[in-house]
């Protein structure tokens, strides 16, 4: 049985080739002058080299699968980020809008402000707010709708 492991991927640190010819085991390599040398080895040594080569290939395959082969820079990682960081301009703009919104909400009458905050930020329904305040659902809805209209007029799109 003649066998040469042609399909194995070689790396620069594994310069030898294992060969079986006529039931004899050989290790083939290039010497320092570049001449191809082939030495006969026993079966035990052949199996050790063969197992080492297979383990080496397996290790390199794992590395290949688990190491990303692209350039990782801060910019490329930020591009992939799920929650992308805000720029300074975006953060300042958002903070200014929040301040303006809170100032506009503070100008609302107490009942409208309370109902609006419970509805939007307390995540309560009209029915729940009405039950707390002892009034009808319709009164709460009307009050929140009026507050939203005032916010739209003073703040812009709400």
């Amino acid at each position: 049985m003649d066998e040469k492991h042609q399909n194995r991927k070689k790396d620069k640190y594994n310069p030898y080739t294992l060969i079986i010819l006529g039931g004899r085991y050989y290790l083939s390599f290039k010497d320092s002058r570049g001449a191809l040398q082939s030495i006969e080895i026993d079966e035990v040594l052949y199996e050790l080299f063969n197992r080492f080569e297979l383990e080496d290939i397996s290790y390199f395959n794992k590395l290949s699968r688990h190491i990303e082969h692209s350039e990782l820079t801060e910019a490329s990682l930020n591009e992939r980020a799920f929650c992308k960081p805000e720029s300074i301009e975006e953060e300042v703009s958002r903070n200014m809008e929040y301040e303006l919104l809170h100032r506009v909400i503070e100008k609302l009458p107490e009942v409208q402000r309370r109902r609006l905050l419970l509805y939007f930020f307390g995540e309560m329904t009209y029915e729940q707010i009405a039950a707390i305040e002892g009034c009808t659902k319709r009164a709460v809805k009307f009050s929140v709708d009026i507050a939203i209209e005032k916010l739209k007029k003073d703040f812009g799109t709400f």
Side-chain angles (χ1 to χ4, degrees):
M1 169 173 123
D2 294 345
E3 181 181 333
K4 185 175 179 182
H5 300 291
Q6 296 281 349
N7 295 334
R8 291 194 181 166
K9 185 170 56 172
K10 298 281 185 187
D11 69 301
K12 63 183 178 181
Y13 301 112
N14 185 6
Y16 61 86
T17 303
L18 296 171
I19 304 168
I20 301 174
L21 277 173
R24 301 178 100 170
Y25 303 95
Y26 296 93
L27 182 70
S28 176
F29 60 93
K30 287 188 179 180
D31 65 11
S32 61
R33 294 183 304 248
L36 185 61
Q37 301 291 325
S38 193
I39 59 171
E40 185 176 351
I41 57 176
D42 66 359
E43 185 178 1
V44 174
L45 190 56
Y46 174 86
E47 290 301 327
L48 286 172
F49 271 103
N50 190 42
R51 187 178 63 198
F52 171 75
E53 193 173 87
L54 291 173
E55 288 172 358
D56 206 34
I57 290 168
S58 175
Y59 174 73
F60 283 117
N61 285 339
K62 284 180 188 173
L63 281 179
S64 179
R65 281 192 306 269
H66 297 291
I67 293 180
E68 188 163 337
H69 298 286
S70 65
E71 183 180 332
L72 294 178
T73 61
E74 188 172 342
S76 67
L77 290 174
N78 281 337
E79 273 299 312
R80 297 183 195 177
F82 182 70
C83 298
K84 294 185 181 183
E86 272 186 320
S87 69
I88 298 293
E89 294 83 10
E90 291 169 331
E91 187 175 347
V92 168
S93 175
R94 181 179 42 81
N95 286 339
M96 289 172 58
E97 286 177 355
Y98 283 166
E99 287 177 23
L100 178 60
L101 178 62
H102 286 289
R103 275 188 265 140
V104 171
I105 289 174
E106 287 301 316
K107 290 181 183 176
L108 292 172
E110 172 60 31
V111 173
Q112 285 180 338
R113 182 174 58 241
R114 183 178 62 243
R115 290 177 179 174
L116 182 77
L117 293 175
L118 286 173
Y119 182 72
F120 282 105
F121 302 108
E123 297 180 6
M124 298 178 83
T125 64
Y126 294 136
E127 293 87 2
Q128 292 170 326
I129 298 169
I132 290 172
E133 294 191 350
C135 63
T136 65
K137 171 186 159 186
R138 184 172 180 211
V140 173
K141 183 177 180 340
F142 182 74
S143 181
V144 170
D145 288 346
I146 296 290
I148 291 172
E149 288 304 316
K150 285 182 182 177
L151 287 176
K152 283 180 181 179
K153 183 179 125 211
D154 293 345
F155 183 69
T157 306
F158 180 62

